[in-house]
Amino acid sequence: MASACALALSAALLLPSDTAPAADAGRTAPPAPVTHAQYAADDACENSATALDPATGAVTSLDPNGGTRDGAAVERIRRHKRLIVGVDQNSYLWGYRDPVSGEITGFDIAIVKAIAESILGQDAQVQYLTIPTDQRVPMILTHKVDMVVRTMSITCSRLTEKDKQIAFSSAYFMAGQQLLAPEGSPVTGFDDSLSGKKVCTASGSTGETKLQADPHGAKIMLVPNQLDCLVRVQLGLADAVFTDNALAAGQAAQDPSMRLVGKPVTTEPYGVAMNLADTDLIRQVNQVLATYSGGGADSEWMRQYHRWLGQHLSGITGPPEAHYK
């Protein structure tokens, strides 16, 4: 399906270079259900296109069959003859620049290709803009990208802030915030073992929000991208990384001296982020994700999971269930 289509990399804005993949891998189980207490500031929330129940991680997005999927936003993409997508090039397994081919690849990128093919056909062109974590929302609001596919968690703050009118697709993956620390570290989990320790997370991430609300005595270090945190730990400038366990599994695969510690402390659905006004594009993406995830063990979602994540993030049996408005 999507993995077979020929898509051209027409442009990329470059950030610091990638770390080469390592052969060994860390492993983790999927996150346990989150409670309302862990999301004290987040009750169920929604905007006109997306709803979220933080207690369960259930996401409700626009029904792909509930309105047009061929409106102004989709026509804009066809007129430009390319899909412009904000991605990461530093998140191993998800969105990273392959050191051999030089191309951006990973689980997220496979989804981008499926979306592009659905709108532009098999010879679709994708313009990848590699953007830091804290620039994801501004790039969507200013229409500098058509969408962001970058392990982006769906949160109430991103749905409801009046100056951040973005929407999400249905959830395509479930992750949870967890700590990553060197083997033998005194950090044992998201608890008082963090007291006095320097904990690194990306600015503008859900990890920053959780740490600021409940630091356990940690000294918080903010960086533009999550991979920068791994480098800080390797240099002895930080004691641990706090990030989605899905991203942390990729970092542990890059550096086998790192280990996921403790348990996930949130449940966070990943979604494709788009401008709230682009309702036809949201429906189109939801249709693509429905097809991508359909078919059980033979689905494209499962094939890409086994290709990229199965060895490093075990225990996942399928994609999240889609819910529609």
Side-chain angles (χ1 to χ4, degrees):
M1 184 188 154
S3 58
C5 64
L7 286 96
L9 174 64
S10 59
L13 303 182
L14 304 183
L15 292 178
S17 59
D18 301 302
T19 303
D24 296 326
R27 299 175 68 87
T28 184
V34 71
T35 67
H36 275 297
Q38 293 168 326
Y39 269 98
D42 276 359
D43 294 322
C45 60
E46 66 178 313
N47 60 29
S48 60
T50 316
L52 170 66
D53 182 352
T56 63
V59 176
T60 306
S61 186
L62 292 180
D63 188 339
N65 297 314
T68 182
R69 300 199 303 267
D70 197 11
V74 170
E75 281 304 311
R76 180 186 70 233
I77 294 166
R78 289 175 178 155
R79 187 170 62 252
H80 291 160
K81 298 181 180 180
R82 67 188 188 279
L83 182 68
I84 307 173
V85 187
V87 298
D88 198 354
Q89 68 167 6
N90 292 310
S91 291
Y92 183 55
L93 308 178
W94 292 89
Y96 74 101
R97 191 174 294 281
D98 186 286
V100 177
S101 68
E103 295 183 355
I104 296 177
T105 191
F107 187 85
D108 276 348
I109 307 307
I111 291 175
V112 171
K113 292 179 178 180
I115 295 169
E117 181 182 3
S118 75
I119 297 172
L120 297 167
Q122 290 190 348
D123 296 325
Q125 289 192 335
V126 180
Q127 182 177 355
Y128 296 106
L129 302 186
T130 61
I131 55 178
T133 302
D134 61 1
Q135 290 301 305
R136 293 177 296 188
V137 171
M139 295 288 277
I140 294 168
L141 295 179
T142 57
H143 269 129
K144 292 181 179 177
V145 296
D146 297 309
M147 61 188 62
V148 168
V149 186
R150 194 186 181 284
T151 58
M152 190 168 179
S153 300
I154 303 168
T155 67
C156 282
S157 63
R158 288 170 179 162
L159 293 179
T160 59
E161 289 188 22
K162 291 182 179 179
D163 61 340
K164 296 182 178 179
Q165 293 294 290
I166 65 171
F168 287 90
S169 67
S170 56
Y172 68 82
F173 198 86
M174 295 298 291
Q177 292 291 318
Q178 192 170 355
L179 284 156
L180 183 73
E183 188 172 11
S185 168
V187 174
T188 57
F190 197 76
D191 52 32
D192 290 344
S193 68
L194 295 178
S195 182
K197 301 295 189 294
K198 293 180 181 178
V199 180
C200 184
T201 194
S203 177
S205 68
T206 49
E208 179 190 1
T209 301
K210 182 66 175 174
L211 272 175
Q212 296 286 7
D214 194 14
H216 287 287
K219 301 174 183 177
I220 302 171
M221 177 183 292
L222 299 178
V223 295
N225 291 291
Q226 290 290 3
L227 188 62
D228 298 334
C229 284
L230 178 61
V231 174
R232 297 298 193 279
V233 174
Q234 291 169 334
L235 293 175
L237 301 176
D239 298 298
V241 178
F242 191 53
T243 186
D244 299 354
N245 60 349
L247 292 174
Q251 294 186 17
Q254 289 175 289
D255 184 346
S257 71
M258 301 293 289
R259 295 289 183 269
L260 282 154
V261 296
K263 297 179 180 179
V265 295
T266 63
T267 295
E268 299 190 19
Y270 290 164
V272 178
M274 291 159 280
N275 194 290
L276 186 61
D278 292 346
T279 55
D280 61 315
L281 183 58
I282 298 166
R283 294 183 194 277
Q284 176 68 16
V285 170
N286 283 339
Q287 179 62 54
V288 173
L289 292 176
T291 302
Y292 195 82
S293 301
D298 293 328
S299 69
E300 186 66 16
W301 193 98
M302 287 302 300
R303 283 194 287 269
Q304 295 298 333
Y305 164 74
H306 288 304
R307 177 183 179 185
W308 296 108
L309 306 174
Q311 180 183 355
H312 312 288
L313 199 63
S314 62
I316 295 173
T317 58
E321 182 181 358
H323 302 276
Y324 302 123
K325 282 178 173 287

